[in-house]
Amino acid sequence: QANLVESGGGSVEAGGSLRLSCTAPVYIYSASCMGWFRQGPGKQREGIAVIHTGTNSTDYDDSVKGRFTISGDNARNTIYLQMNSLKPEDHAMYYCAAVTPSRRFFPCKRVRGDFSYWGQGTQVTVSS
């Protein structure tokens, strides 16, 4: 099991910002797709942003488009999720995910079944 190390969660008021980070082993980071999923209380885990680490092409769920930005740092094998204008409905556990190197997807899609490796999750709490 690959070790995806997440950090950056926390508690903010609505309208605030947070940045999540996820560092992967180099053989995972360079495979193709990494992304961020979230699971709110009583909800299914949903894909909100993905990035192809080779081309930096991205895709977002409509609920976060224009507020969240996913990016990658090849030198650090790390992806980020910059979250601005946070809303109470963004309150969730956020998970970093990566595809297995044997499956080189393009473009990347926010499909849970495409991702084989998962981080431990980091909590984001947004108060109104």
Side-chain angles (χ1 to χ4, degrees):
Q1 181 70 22
N3 187 22
L4 304 182
V5 180
E6 302 160 348
S7 62
S11 297
V12 295
E13 294 185 350
S17 297
L18 285 172
R19 189 176 81 154
L20 307 183
S21 301
C22 173
T23 300
V26 62
Y27 73 97
I28 294 296
Y29 182 88
S30 60
S32 60
C33 302
M34 292 188 68
W36 292 97
F37 288 68
R38 70 183 180 187
Q39 188 166 11
K43 297 183 179 180
Q44 299 277 356
R45 190 173 300 187
E46 60 176 352
I48 57 171
V50 293
I51 184 168
H52 188 277
T53 55
T55 64
N56 287 324
S57 65
T58 58
D59 185 62
Y60 296 92
D61 185 75
D62 286 345
S63 65
V64 305
K65 207 171 286 185
R67 300 187 298 121
F68 292 9
T69 302
I70 189 171
S71 61
D73 184 338
N74 293 352
R76 292 179 169 82
N77 305 327
T78 299
I79 64 168
Y80 303 96
L81 185 68
Q82 178 65 44
M83 305 185 293
N84 298 329
S85 302
L86 282 160
K87 304 176 180 180
E89 50 263 44
D90 295 318
H91 170 88
M93 185 72 80
Y94 284 69
Y95 297 90
C96 175
V99 302
T100 183
S102 63
R103 305 189 70 184
R104 294 187 174 270
F105 293 102
F106 189 81
C108 302
K109 297 181 180 180
R110 292 172 285 104
V111 176
R112 183 176 177 178
D114 287 351
F115 291 80
S116 299
Y117 302 116
W118 295 87
Q120 77 282 2
T122 185
Q123 181 68 44
V124 171
T125 300
V126 184
S127 58
S128 57

